[in-house]
Amino acid sequence: MSTSLLRPTSPFLFPPSLCRGFATEVTHRHPKKPPRPNLHTAVILNRSPILTRTPTPFERAYYAYQTRIQRALHNPFPYEFYFKPGSLLESKFNLEERKRDRKAFGPGFGADHPLAPGAGVSAQDLKKFGRDEDETPAPRVHASDDSGDLKSLDRKGQRNLYLLVKQKTTDAAATVWRFPESEVTTDGELLHESAARDLRGLCGEAMDTWIVGRKPIGLYEIQPPTALPDSVPFPKTCVFFFKGHIMAGQVKPSESVADFAWLTKKEIEKRVDEQYWGGVKDMLSDF
Amino acid sequence: MSAGAVRAAVTAGRSLRPIRKIRKLVHDERGLPIPHVGIVVRDTHLSRLGEHYHNTLADDLLYMTYKHESGPRPPPRNIRLMYDPEDPYVKLRSNPPVGGSQLGRKLAPPTTAENVVHLERIQLHTMAKDALVSRQNLLGPLMALRALSGETEQGGGRRGSTGVQVVRGVKSVGGWVRPGLPLGAKVDLRGTKMYEFLGTLTEFVLPRLREFPGLLLPPASASLQTPAGVAGVVSFGLPPEAMGLFPQIEVNLDAYPKTYGMHIHFITNAKGAGAQERVRQLLSGFQIPFARR
């Protein structure tokens, strides 16, 4: 390079005060700064459990054991405080209590003991007085569980469900399963605003949703393909995830959404690609 | 020879372990032995609201209350001389911080998954003014709180269970209260029973309460740096009409001499600046309504 030729060979040629004026050589080229990343936001829309979890066999055995201890040790029930003596309600309670104690301890103990306060009337008589209330609880399995309908919000009532959409990617006509995602376009748009807009735009207005807080709950970085040397590197893509809850309504997919499904964590793993799964799996609830 | 060595020589021949006395078993009225085993009754069923907290609320509250901090917090500036902790003469003296305890201005601890705000207990508290006239007037509130909470002293063998307690006067107020005078009753609810009470409150009582707008929020101009604002407790009062709406009391409301109002305190682990707001976020997750004046 020409600059190196101009460099004084000896420090004695010029006075020291002038020496620095010639130190113009660029010894080290600064590496090109990577361009600013593309910002995307995605919403992890959650349908919380709508049924209490079924206890495991171990839990059931534990609770049954504790219930028996509690029945054996509880304070005497103040009958005269809660019932008028000889009332119909007291008889009904005694019958029910007898049934519960027999279930817990076997025949002949507790309220089922021959000396325990009995019912003045029989169960047949009670049926004559008051109509037997129909207290069968609603089934814990919905019709959509049997039919395998992945779009129903009533499926898998005990589990956390997440909305997954089959979305067109930016470059190709190919579609991939992922959480509803879009680019932060407008200048000055905040991330949480972008997330709410993205959900409305992709999944329609027919949903009552709530985005939890204004902070993203996770970040997934898509690394760009490596650029040729001496060229501007491609920007990477940062996807910020927000958690949302659905209160009512259902998805009405827009044109860019080919399909949607409400899935549990395990079902999501089968649909998304491995790299994406590694980025999002810790944001989802196991149960 | 030192005194210790002498004692060792004296006791060398026998074991130092005290001889265990075998307790005789107590027998019940039928002559059957009652084993002296510390039986403790634990949870007898899954708690619905407890599950809701662990499944949904804890995550949401962590996301909502998270404050990003870059790096550890700077240590407090010690601008006042401290007593020398090495000097045995002054090491137990207190070193009060400059400017008082700064109670209302203490920062909340850094947000982590371990210290997400959660309910520790709910305290029900009622004051019976007529207990000053006759102590028998306290029986009504005591019975009402027992029916509401189902708690008894050491109930289920739990040492921590205090049951319904009588509240006594602390200060002397001229012509009215003297220290030690029974004035009211209170009870602490924890665990499953606490969540059950919360469920009863939000599903049976508050929706049926007439002209109830919700828990009134303080005006926006109110200072948050008060001791109440940083203690992590949210309290509200229920009028006497609300007592009849609890299903436990509704079944035999006429057994009580009259209806009693009560204060309900939601006591949580939240501490430091903004604690009260975090507790409100938690409670609104349990569907307790809040309203602006």
Side-chain angles (χ1 to χ4, degrees), chain B residues 165-184:
Chain B
Q165 293 169 290
V166 173
V167 180
R168 291 170 186 279
V170 179
K171 276 199 236 174
S172 185
V173 181
W176 185 42
V177 181
R178 291 189 312 278
L181 216 60
L183 271 178

Side-chain angles (χ1 to χ4, degrees), chain A residues 7-27:
Chain A
R7 204 172 194 196
T9 48
S10 160
F12 301 109
L13 269 171
F14 300 101
S17 59
L18 286 178
C19 278
R20 278 198 59 79
F22 291 94
T24 52
E25 185 191 19
V26 179
T27 53

Side-chain angles (χ1 to χ4, degrees), chain A residues 44-98:
Chain A
I44 298 181
L45 197 63
N46 169 238
R47 199 243 30 211
S48 318
I50 50 175
L51 293 177
T52 313
R53 177 169 66 84
T54 307
T56 61
F58 178 77
E59 281 174 322
R60 268 206 294 279
Y62 176 82
Y63 289 142
Y65 175 63
Q66 294 296 338
T67 311
R68 287 179 64 197
I69 295 181
Q70 195 195 33
R71 288 197 84 78
L73 297 182
H74 71 75
N75 283 353
F77 183 74
Y79 285 91
E80 64 282 358
F81 181 70
Y82 279 102
F83 304 115
K84 288 196 182 82
S87 68
L88 195 67
L89 205 59
E90 187 185 15
S91 304
K92 197 176 175 192
F93 180 81
N94 279 343
L95 280 177
E96 288 171 2
E97 189 69 1
R98 177 174 284 188

